[in-house]
Amino acid sequence: MADHDDKAQRAIALLEQAGLRATAQRVLLVSLLYGDGAHRHVTAEQLYEEAVMARGKVSLATVYNTMRALSKAGLLRQVNADAGRIYFDTNTGDHQHIYDESTGTLTDIDAAILKDITLPPLPRGTRLEGVDLIVRVRS
Amino acid sequence: MADHDDKAQRAIALLEQAGLRATAQRVLLVSLLYGDGAHRHVTAEQLYEEAVMARGKVSLATVYNTMRALSKAGLLRQVNADAGRIYFDTNTGDHQHIYDESTGTLTDIDAAILKDITLPPLPRGTRLEGVDLIVRVRS
DNA sequence: ATACCTGCAAAGTCTTTGCAATCAA
DNA sequence: TTGATTGCAAAGACTTTGCAGGTAT
């Protein structure tokens, strides 16, 4: 129980820091996302399944809404590895990904991999939003 | 007319080389894609619009089917720049992209940009499929 | 009290597919 | 001929949204 409370406390802290109300659904979702320390890559559907397993009372729509809100708040990063499927990454720091197209698994790559590249001039009137590298593999 | 026949001839050649029957619809689509020499980045919907403009008799389903077939045949490359929207690139050579999230425009980057990076070890039991770099910008 | 949040169902976007009619080889 | 292709409509996969009822502050 202490363990659970701990995760819930951290979840609440994260939500408040993001300016979001700490509802039961959000606390559960954020606990699942950040609960065990390791960074995670999940789709809304996957997180929804986990929430249901954990006997959580939450709808898929709320999972989508919450993940969108967390992304906007900067607590999650969206990863476009696969057209037609949004992955959310709890690691919002600078880094890149390996994507296994057979299993749908994402793996982090250290940001240093791009340390030595020189970006080309950007199109006139545009500003840089980010640089995403996806190493696609198959099992 | 000679111009049009020229493009049609090239389109037919490409289709045969890909092992696909040269139907009127495919010849039109391939002519639009490869007709003027420059490489293109288009979605199925965009190509469909162009075909309709050109008074072509083709359905959106056929555009999707054809682009899928061309991709499988190696004549097109899919670009995952935006979750929920597949771009097709007539340039199947090694290169990368700049993606303007405001306008949905893709611009090529020379492959040399990644010449000096060293990929991390791939997960056990996986083989490399490709490396995609997307420089995201906004207007 | 009140602005925010949830959940359901409906709508939306993009893509694929079943199947009868049609066409290329 | 005969298998490949087309087109329509329907189905699918994923995501967003309208709105009535519920909740955090």
Side-chain angles (χ1 to χ4, degrees), chain A residues 21 61 64-65 68 84-86:
Chain A
R21 286 187 180 174
Y64 272 107
N65 288 336
R68 196 140 32 91
R85 192 195 226 59
I86 301 176

Side-chain angles (χ1 to χ4, degrees), chain A residues 31-91:
Chain A
S31 292
L32 289 170
L33 287 172
Y34 300 95
D36 62 9
H39 285 306
R40 308 200 52 195
H41 305 100
V42 291
T43 63
E45 189 83 40
Q46 288 169 351
L47 188 59
Y48 172 68
E49 288 304 325
E50 289 184 20
V52 170
M53 301 285 207
R55 298 185 230 37
K57 189 179 58 58
V58 64
S59 70
L60 182 55
T62 293
V63 175
Y64 272 107
N65 288 336
T66 299
M67 292 180 103
R68 196 140 32 91
L70 292 173
S71 294
K72 193 180 305 179
L75 266 66
L76 284 180
R77 160 176 166 183
Q78 289 194 201
V79 181
N80 284 163
D82 191 333
R85 192 195 226 59
I86 301 176
Y87 284 87
F88 292 90
D89 188 346
T90 58
N91 181 356

Side-chain angles (χ1 to χ4, degrees), chain A residues 75-123:
Chain A
L75 266 66
L76 284 180
R77 160 176 166 183
Q78 289 194 201
V79 181
N80 284 163
D82 191 333
R85 192 195 226 59
I86 301 176
Y87 284 87
F88 292 90
D89 188 346
T90 58
N91 181 356
T92 56
D94 186 20
H95 69 288
Q96 305 302 332
H97 295 98
I98 297 174
Y99 180 61
D100 187 327
E101 302 181 321
S102 304
T103 64
T105 309
L106 282 168
T107 309
D108 286 347
I109 299 178
D110 194 278
I113 192 176
L114 293 184
K115 274 286 170 0
D116 297 322
I117 75 166
T118 304
L119 292 184
L122 304 185

Side-chain angles (χ1 to χ4, degrees), chain B residues 24-99:
Chain B
Q25 288 83 349
R26 286 175 175 171
V27 171
L28 169 60
L29 296 176
V30 171
S31 292
L32 290 169
L33 286 171
Y34 300 95
D36 62 8
H39 286 306
R40 309 199 52 196
H41 304 100
V42 291
T43 63
E45 189 83 39
Q46 288 168 351
L47 187 59
Y48 172 68
E49 288 304 327
E50 289 184 19
V52 170
M53 300 285 206
R55 299 186 230 35
K57 189 180 59 57
V58 64
S59 70
L60 181 56
T62 292
V63 175
Y64 273 107
N65 288 335
T66 298
M67 293 179 102
R68 194 139 33 91
L70 292 174
S71 293
K72 193 180 304 179
L75 266 66
L76 284 180
R77 160 177 169 183
Q78 288 193 202
V79 181
N80 284 163
D82 190 332
R85 186 190 299 268
I86 300 177
Y87 284 88
F88 292 90
D89 188 346
T90 59
N91 181 356
T92 57
D94 185 21
H95 69 286
Q96 304 303 332
H97 295 99
I98 296 174
Y99 180 60

